[in-house]
């Protein structure tokens, strides 16, 4: 049904993009639905036996892998011609998530609670995702145990058992997106009330809460990062149009500003992007907000430098950081970026330096925000000295968001860049070469350069 599984994801998608820079991007782009909402909503559908429909599900490998994983558990998934996905799991066929999904993404650990609710047991492999730090799942395991799950850990994964999960008070040590979602999934059908303190309140989480509310869940998002869930006995099917992808919108917005172009991004939502829009305005990017769309362009030349600290919502997203650093290489003066969400999210900058950027990393916290990486010897602050012309070259992508940072670098570089490892981009962004070409980028996917014999880093 879905042609893509983990093996074929790491096997196929070995495309190479060739980009010749200095073309302003002008035109319209339609924002895709947020992968980080859709993936979780597909998981949420397991909480009912009844059919659910998600509209406009992005055709990206990350979602294909999730659908494949859910199909093994017993979900019947159907991608319709209009892009919707119908999904129904009338019975759980298997409570084991295959080890081949280990290391690919964060979804297996989110399957524990739905499987416990539906079948009383779950076996999931160790999880992975983009290689941007240690990414432990201790919060997930602790909260599931606190809600009554017995969990055994071994080198390959986790085995969980529970008769019925019970509501409790959870205090997350950090507002983790995944742990908050895990607690919500566990709490919806638990006995009693669950309070999640220090919860993440990202727009994608709120959107999943909206979907769950349609399914019959009782979830209250209170002030001060507190989410209160009253467990119900059953949930029903629902239809949902997922929130648009604010990471993708920001990525294309930065491409418009960086290339001196003008892009109207349909579906872009101002409320989800307040911090990004303020930041863009401060450095000289312009935007106009219309009903249902935001148009982005360069307002000042040269761009101004800035000090940014990444944070949980409503702060500056860690996933906006990488293309922003590329953009800041074109600002006149010294910019400082303090990454407080992940400890290893600047690895990609060495390639930007090879292209001509002047970026220095330091272990110091260059900013005043609370940071878990103080005195822990992680290079988690970057000093960007601009403006520096960039020169096209061969580039190997290390992870999804770094991938877009490199695309952006190639779009503004002198000469030609050949970008390998584009499967990371295809994991999260729909049809990037086609969409960039449609707004004027000089980009092609040369068949003769298919990177069959280049070294392939396994996702995660
Ligand atoms: N953390 C722990 N223990 C845990 C869970 C998290 O220490 O049990 C730490 C992480 O190591 C990290 C921080 O908490 O330092 C934040 O991690 P979080 O759990 O919030 O991230 P996630 O749920 O694994 C999601 C997105 C990421 C996005 C982050 C932050 C998905 C599938 N992934 O990851 O998206 O960067 O939230 O907003 O939703 C991407 O799309 O490229 C991507 C990496």
């Amino acid at each position: 049904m879905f042609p893509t599984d983990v093996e074929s994801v790491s096997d196929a998608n070995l495309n190479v993009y060739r980009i010749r820079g200095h073309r302003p991007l002008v035109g319209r782009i339609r924002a895709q639905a947020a992968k980080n909402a859709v993936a979780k909503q597909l998981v949420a559908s397991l909480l009912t036996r009844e059919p659910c429909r998600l509209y406009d599900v992005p055709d990206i490998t990350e979602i294909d892998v999730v659908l494949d994983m859910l199909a093994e558990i017993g979900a019947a998934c159907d991608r319709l011609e209009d892009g919707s996905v119908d999904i129904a799991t009338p019975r759980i066929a298997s409570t084991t998530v295959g080890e081949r999904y280990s290391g690919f993404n964060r979804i297996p650990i989110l399957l524990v609670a739905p499987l416990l609710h539906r079948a009383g047991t779950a076996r999931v492999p160790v999880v992975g995702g983009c290689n941007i730090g240690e990414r432990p799942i201790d919060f997930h395991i602790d909260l599931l145990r606190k809600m009554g799950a017995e969990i055994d850990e071994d080198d390959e994964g986790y085995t969980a058992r529970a008769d019925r999960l019970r509501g409790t008070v959870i205090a997350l040590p950090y507002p983790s997106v995944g742990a908050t979602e895990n607690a919500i999934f566990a709490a919806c059908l638990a006995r009693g009330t669950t309070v999640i303190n220090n919860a993440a309140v990202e727009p994608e989480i709120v959107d999943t809460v909206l979907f769950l509310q349609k399914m019959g869940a009782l979830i209250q998002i209170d002030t001060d990062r507190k989410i209160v869930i009253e467990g119900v006995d059953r949930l029903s099917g629902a239809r949902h149009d997922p929130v648009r992808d604010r990471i993708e919108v920001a990525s294309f917005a930065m491409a418009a500003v960086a290339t001196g172009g003008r892009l109207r991004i349909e579906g872009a939502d101002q409320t989800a992007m307040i911090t990004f829009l303020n930041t863009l305005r401060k450095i000289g990017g312009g935007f106009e907000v219309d009903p249902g769309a935001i148009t982005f362009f360069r307002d000042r030349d040269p761009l101004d430098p800035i000090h940014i600290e990444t944070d949980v919502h409503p702060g500056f997203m860690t996933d906006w950081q990488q293309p922003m650093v590329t953009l800041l290489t074109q600002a006149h003066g010294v910019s400082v970026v303090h990454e407080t969400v992940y400890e290893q999210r600047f690895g990609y900058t060495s390639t930007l330096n090879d292209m001509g950027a002047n970026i220095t990393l330091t272990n110091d916290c260059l900013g005043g925000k609370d940071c878990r990486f103080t005195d822990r010897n992680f290079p988690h602050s970057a000093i960007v000295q601009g403006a520096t012309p960039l020169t096209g070259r061969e580039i190997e992508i290390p992870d999804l968001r770094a991938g877009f940072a490199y695309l952006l670098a190639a779009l503004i570089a002198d000469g030609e860049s050949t970008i390998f490892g584009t499967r990371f981009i295809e994991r999260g962004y729909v049809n990037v070469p086609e969409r960039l070409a449609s707004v004027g980028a000089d980009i092609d996917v040369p068949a003769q350069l298919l990177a069959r014999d280049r070294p392939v880093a396994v996702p995660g």
Side-chain angles (χ1 to χ4, degrees), residues 138-158:
D138 49 336
F139 307 165
H140 299 248
I141 301 299
D142 290 350
L143 73 89
L144 288 167
R145 283 189 173 136
K146 195 152 188 226
M147 295 184 73
E150 279 172 44
I151 303 184
D152 295 325
E153 304 180 34
D154 55 58
D155 289 347
E156 280 78 43
Y158 303 86

Side-chain angles (χ1 to χ4, degrees), residues 241-270:
D241 189 13
V243 69
R244 298 295 101 182
D245 193 325
R246 65 199 167 111
I247 309 175
E248 188 203 43
V249 171
S251 303
F252 284 123
M254 288 185 263
V257 174
T259 62
R262 187 178 181 89
L263 285 182
R264 178 180 162 87
I265 306 186
E266 282 156 7
D269 173 18
Q270 183 184 9

